[in-house]
Each structure stands twice: as structure tokens, then as C-alpha cells.
């Protein structure tokens, strides 16, 4: 894992106020820099594959030893890895629904259909402020008025009118509502219409939107603010929902600090603070973030005693002397579903089924490589577990060319400006500076992409839904 404390903001402490475009310019990917960056990225990816620095066993020729399961021949393609993760989330028994208060349902999925509990509206109501009128005009005005939320008003007879407020119950005998701006009093204090008035005008009849028992929304509908509004209008206090998948994060590595500057070979843990809110933004309930160090026994105990549907580990997915994830999965009889993905960064990620209702996503230790693993494996798995509908992929042209890997997909942080995606600098496996400024990840095919090429984009969860909740 690479230190996060070493990438302080650009020009930190110089007193200048940078605008958004100025700040983004510091992480934009200039043309002259592309080839050098690609070389550095490729070298960093090779280090990433070999495990955390200084830990990979060496071959007699001095090069890093081969990693179990992560040779290029055995790597799963990026699209296939995402399909496997999504299918894994759908493969188990359907998770039982729960009932939650409306205020706790945002971002979840309906576990049962939303049916109308009664007619909506439940009585004839006025759609406008004005006068409730009976029969043809002119009308004689009745004293008082009809307000929303008050007791049922007295009926009107032909030739009568009474003041009425929007949302108020329409008295019996009323034939229309005359808007305030379309009427006025004339001789003998009679009400006259200044525009033609049709029968039933500006009256919302009972059951106009739905009748009792009507299907309002099917099970599987994502609960948005509008869905909450509809449910409240229809009389619901609670909703049957698919619960959030529970996730637990296991941070591995003896070299990690939880505070202060890196020192004496120790580095700051960038993933512990990042993964929990990221998983929440992907729709998970994070039940714990545990720091285990490089302790094989502690890792085995943490995995076998976890009650989460998803366990996420950081680092330890290579084959170095303290990379314990693969041996531990072997010992507990886990089924490896994905063991290495043909994607840069993040090649040595993995997905395993540890129990019938539990999966483990092993993320590489480098921060951006870990983000790649989250978006490749954890995101589709969590989406399926939460029964969220799949989003239609979308594509955006590149503002400039992007260097590709010869064989693998690349996930490149981009910022969206107008109708184009601009690639950002600092996109090596160990770097977070680019992704911190990004709106999305561009899915760059092997060989790269020229300027103007249309790229599939993966939205970062907060780019479309806001911090703390995700509607994807």
C-alpha cells in the first residue's frame, strides 16, 4: 500500500485561491506527458502485481517471482469479471425483506409492490384558489369560505358560489372552480366569470391518480425522493425493502499508520478511511473496519466469524511472504470466482465465495488499484445483493487521446466538461490525486484510444447521487 499522506494539495500553503478549472489543470493529462506516464504506470503495475514493495519473492535472476493465479494467461477479462461479480450477487437465496420507516428507505429497493391503500385524492379537491360555483353564472356569494383540512363544507345550490382554497374539499353540488384571476364581483355583489368556464374545471376528482388496490410501483423499484413522496401521499408510514448488504473491511499490513506523517518505513493507511464511505455510497451497510496487520491467524478468524455478506480485504492478494489472502482462502475451502483481472491498475484483485451467503473481494494494496477493484468487483456484487436495477452503460468522447495497455483494459480517472471526458494525471496504481478530482473512470480498451473516441464511463457514486447515498 502506498502512502496517502505524501500527496498534499497543489501549491499547499501558497495563499492562492484556485478556481475549479485551475485546480483541475494541475491534474490534467498534457499530451507531452502521456508516453512518460504510460511507462511509469506500466512499471507501477508490475510492482503492484508483485505485491507490496519489498515483499515479493525473488527468482534466481533477481526478478520478482511469479504470482499465484495472476499470470496474464489466467487473468479474467474486465467485462467478464464484472459479469461474474453480478451473477455471484444474484446466485444465493433471495435475502429476506425488512420493513423500514419512510425516512430510512432512501436509496433502497422496494421488496414488495407499492399498492394504493385508498383513492388518491381521497375526495374531490380544488386545484386552485378561487370560488367553488354551482350551475351557470353569475353567482350569488355565500359568506365565509372553504379551507383545506377543515370539516366538510355545506352543499351549494345552483347559482351559489363560495370562496375556496387550493386542496380544500369541494362542496357537494359544485360544478367547477373559478380561478381568482378569472372572476370578479359586479352589480349587486354578484360573481361574474371573465373567461369561459367548463364543467369540472380545476376540480381534482376523487381517485384521479389512483383507486384503492391499484399497483403504483412494482417490487424492485429504486426508492428515490419522488417514491417517498408518492408513498407518503398514498398513506404509507413504512415500506417493505431489500435491506442494505452488510460489508466488513479488513485492513491488512504491519506498515500502516492511522495518524500523523509517514516515518521510519511506516506509511499512512489511505484505504481504511476511504473504503467505508465508498462502500456506503455503493449501497452497503458497513458493520466494521478492522485493522489486522499481517497476521494469518487473525485474518482467518476474521473471515470465518464475519456475519457480513461482503468482506473486503486490502492488500495481501499477491504471493509474498506476508500475503495471506490466498492461503487463508485455501484453508477455509473458499471458492475462487475471479483470481486476477486483465485491468490496470488493480490486476491482482480477486473474488471468492467464502460461504453460501458470503463473498470476499480482495483488493490490491495500492490505493488507485483498490479503487479499480471496488468498481470492478464490489460495485456489481453489491448492486445485485441490494437488487438495484442495472444502469444502462453510457459513453462520452475523449477530449484527448489516452495511452492504453497492450493487453489489458485501463480504468482512467476523467473529469467531465461539456460533452467530453478529459483524462487526469496522477493515475498510477499508488496515486489518489487524480481520482480525488475525477467525476468518473473511463474504460479504455487494450491499445488505448484516440482523441474523440467514445469511451464507456463508470460514474463515481457521489458524482450522481451525493455523498452518503447512492441511487445506482
Amino acid at each position: 500500500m502506498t502512502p496517502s499522506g505524501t500527496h498534499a494539495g497543489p501549491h499547499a500553503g501558497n495563499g492562492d485561491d484556485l478556481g475549479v478549472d485551475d485546480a483541475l489543470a494541475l491534474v490534467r493529462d498534457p499530451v507531452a506527458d502521456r508516453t512518460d506516464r504510460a511507462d511509469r504506470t506500466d512499471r507501477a503495475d508490475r510492482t503492484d502485481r508483485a505485491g507490496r514493495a519489498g515483499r515479493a519473492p525473488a527468482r534466481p535472476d533477481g526478478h520478482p517471482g511469479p504470482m499465484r493465479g495472476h499470470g496474464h494467461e489466467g487473468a479474467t477479462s474486465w467485462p467478464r469479471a464484472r459479469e461474474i461479480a453480478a451473477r455471484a450477487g444474484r446466485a444465493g437465496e433471495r435475502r429476506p425483506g425488512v420493513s423500514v420507516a419512510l425516512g430510512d428507505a432512501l436509496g433502497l429497493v422496494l421488496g414488495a409492490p407499492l399498492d394504493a391503500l385508498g383513492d388518491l385524492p381521497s375526495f374531490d379537491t380544488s386545484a386552485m384558489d378561487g370560488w367553488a360555483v354551482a350551475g351557470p353564472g353569475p353567482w350569488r356569494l355565500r359568506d365565509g369560505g372553504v379551507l383545506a383540512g377543515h370539516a366538510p363544507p355545506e352543499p351549494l345550490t345552483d347559482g351559489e358560489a363560495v370562496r375556496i382554497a387550493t386542496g380544500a374539499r369541494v362542496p357537494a353540488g359544485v360544478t367547477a372552480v373559478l380561478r381568482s384571476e378569472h372572476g370578479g364581483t359586479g352589480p349587486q355583489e354578484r360573481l361574474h366569470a371573465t373567461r369561459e368556464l367548463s364543467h369540472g374545471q380545476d376540480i381534482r376528482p376523487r381517485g384521479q391518480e389512483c383507486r384503492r388496490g391499484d399497483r403504483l410501483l412494482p417490487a424492485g423499484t429504486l426508492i428515490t425522493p419522488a417514491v417517498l413522496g408518492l408513498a407518503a401521499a398514498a398513506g404509507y408510514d413504512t415500506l417493505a425493502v431489500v435491506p442494505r448488504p452488510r460489508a466488513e473491511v479488513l485492513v491488512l499490513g504491519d506498515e500502516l499508520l492511522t495518524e500523523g506523517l509517514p516515518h521510519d518505513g511506516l506509511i499512512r493507511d489511505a484505504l481504511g478511511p476511504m473504503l467505508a464511505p465508498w462502500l456506503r455510497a455503493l449501497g452497503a451497510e458497513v458493520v466494521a473496519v478492522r485493522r489486522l496487520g499481517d497476521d494469518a491467524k487473525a485474518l482467518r478468524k476474521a473471515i470465518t466469524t464475519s456475519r457480513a455478506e461482503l468482506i473486503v480485504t486490502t492488500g495481501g492478494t499477491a504471493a509474498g511472504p506476508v500475503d495471506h489472502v490466498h492461503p487463508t482462502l485455501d484453508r477455509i475451502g473458499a471458492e475462487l470466482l475471479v483470481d486476477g483481472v486483465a485491468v490496470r491498475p488493480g490486476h491482482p484483485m480477486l473474488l471468492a465465495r467464502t460461504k453460501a451467503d458470503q463473498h470476499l473481494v480482495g483488493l490490491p494494496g495500492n490505493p488507485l488499484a483498490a479503487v479499480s477493484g471496488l468498481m470492478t468487483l464490489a460495485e456489481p456484487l453489491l448492486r445485485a445483493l441490494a437488487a438495484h436495477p442495472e444502469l444502462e452503460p453510457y459513453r462520452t468522447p475523449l477530449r484527448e487521446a489516452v495511452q492504453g495497455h497492450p493487453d489489458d483494459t485501463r480504468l482512467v480517472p476523467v473529469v467531465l466538461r461539456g460533452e467530453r471526458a478529459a483524462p487526469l494525471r496522477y493515475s498510477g496504481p499508488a496515486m489518489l490525486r487524480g481520482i480525488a478530482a475525477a467525476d468518473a473512470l473511463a474504460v479504455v480498451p487494450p491499445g488505448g484510444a484516440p482523441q474523440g473516441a467514445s469511451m464507456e464511463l463508470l460514474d463515481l457514486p457521489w458524482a450522481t447521487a451525493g455523498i452518503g447515498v447512492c441511487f445506482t
Side-chain angles (χ1 to χ4, degrees):
M1 196 175 298
T2 306
S4 65
T6 57
H7 59 274
H11 303 306
N14 66 2
D16 293 337
D17 292 327
L18 294 177
V20 173
D21 291 336
D22 294 328
L24 289 174
L26 297 172
V27 288
R28 283 286 307 282
D29 187 8
V31 175
D33 186 56
R34 274 190 226 117
T35 301
D36 177 60
R37 178 176 55 81
D39 291 342
R40 286 185 278 113
T41 298
D42 194 44
R43 289 197 299 272
D45 275 321
R46 289 197 296 271
T47 301
D48 191 24
R49 290 199 310 274
R52 293 195 291 271
R55 297 187 175 194
R59 297 200 309 250
D61 59 5
H63 290 83
M67 234 176 28
R68 172 191 165 178
H70 294 301
H72 199 277
E73 292 296 324
T76 304
S77 72
W78 183 80
R80 177 68 176 154
R82 284 177 58 81
E83 290 174 5
I84 291 171
R87 190 167 64 245
R90 296 190 295 265
E93 294 184 7
R94 183 175 179 181
R95 299 166 63 232
V98 296
S99 180
V100 301
L102 291 187
D104 298 324
L106 185 65
L108 300 178
V109 164
L110 288 176
L114 189 74
D115 292 337
L117 301 178
D119 298 344
L120 190 62
S122 56
F123 47 81
D124 293 352
T125 62
S126 175
M128 291 287 171
D129 291 332
W131 297 270
V133 299
W139 303 272
R140 59 187 178 277
L141 285 172
R142 179 188 287 181
D143 291 338
V146 183
L147 301 177
H150 285 229
E154 292 294 323
L156 293 186
T157 59
D158 277 358
E160 280 192 311
V162 66
R163 274 283 184 184
I164 194 167
T166 302
R169 183 193 296 261
V170 172
V174 168
T175 53
V177 170
L178 178 65
R179 300 185 186 190
S180 297
E181 62 269 27
H182 295 166
T185 54
Q188 300 178 339
E189 294 300 313
R190 292 295 184 105
L191 174 65
H192 295 262
T194 58
R195 292 192 183 182
E196 184 177 349
L197 186 65
S198 59
H199 191 278
Q201 184 170 319
D202 289 325
I203 294 175
R204 293 186 63 215
R206 176 175 181 167
Q208 182 185 49
E209 187 165 3
C210 63
R211 289 289 186 181
R212 178 184 175 88
D214 284 353
R215 179 63 43 87
L216 302 178
L217 293 170
T221 298
L222 184 67
I223 300 173
T224 65
V227 171
L228 293 178
L230 174 62
Y236 282 85
D237 300 315
T238 62
L239 290 174
V241 300
V242 178
R244 299 183 192 278
R246 293 166 298 178
E248 184 169 1
V249 179
L250 306 179
V251 180
L252 312 182
D254 289 340
E255 73 276 29
L256 302 177
L257 295 168
T258 58
E259 59 183 16
L261 291 171
H263 62 84
D264 300 326
L266 302 178
I267 60 176
R268 276 298 295 271
D269 170 27
L271 296 183
M274 180 174 73
L275 292 182
W278 201 307
L279 289 166
R280 290 188 191 103
L282 291 176
E285 175 192 351
V286 179
V287 296
V289 177
R290 302 171 62 186
R291 291 174 170 81
L292 303 182
D294 289 316
D295 186 330
K297 290 183 180 179
L299 176 60
R300 179 174 181 173
K301 182 178 180 181
I303 294 174
T304 54
T305 60
S306 175
R307 299 179 65 183
E309 283 91 6
L310 171 62
I311 300 170
V312 177
T313 62
T314 69
T317 56
V322 290
D323 289 332
H324 300 304
V325 174
H326 277 96
T328 299
L329 293 175
D330 275 349
R331 291 187 188 104
I332 66 175
E335 178 188 2
L336 274 175
L337 305 178
V338 175
D339 193 8
V341 178
V343 66
R344 307 304 171 102
H347 187 272
M349 66 181 74
L350 64 85
L351 171 64
R353 181 181 290 113
T354 50
K355 300 174 187 175
D357 58 352
Q358 183 185 77
H359 292 81
L360 182 145
V361 170
L363 302 178
N366 277 322
L368 190 58
V371 168
S372 176
L374 272 181
M375 299 303 287
T376 300
L377 298 176
E379 188 272 341
L381 177 68
L382 287 171
R383 181 189 297 279
L385 287 173
H388 280 194
E390 289 190 27
L391 294 178
E392 289 294 325
Y394 77 100
R395 307 178 74 86
T396 298
L398 291 171
R399 181 175 285 185
E400 57 192 65
V402 176
Q403 185 80 23
H405 186 274
D407 305 303
D408 297 347
T409 299
R410 280 192 68 207
L411 299 182
V412 178
V414 295
V415 64
L416 303 180
R417 287 295 176 263
E419 297 182 355
R420 293 190 172 245
L424 300 173
R425 295 180 66 193
Y426 306 106
S427 57
M431 299 179 179
L432 290 175
R433 188 168 167 182
I435 194 71
D439 297 313
L441 289 168
V443 183
V444 180
Q451 180 181 8
S454 181
M455 290 291 99
E456 180 183 347
L457 296 187
L458 295 178
D459 280 325
L460 301 179
W462 48 87
T464 53
I467 296 293
V469 68
C470 179
F471 298 150
T472 56

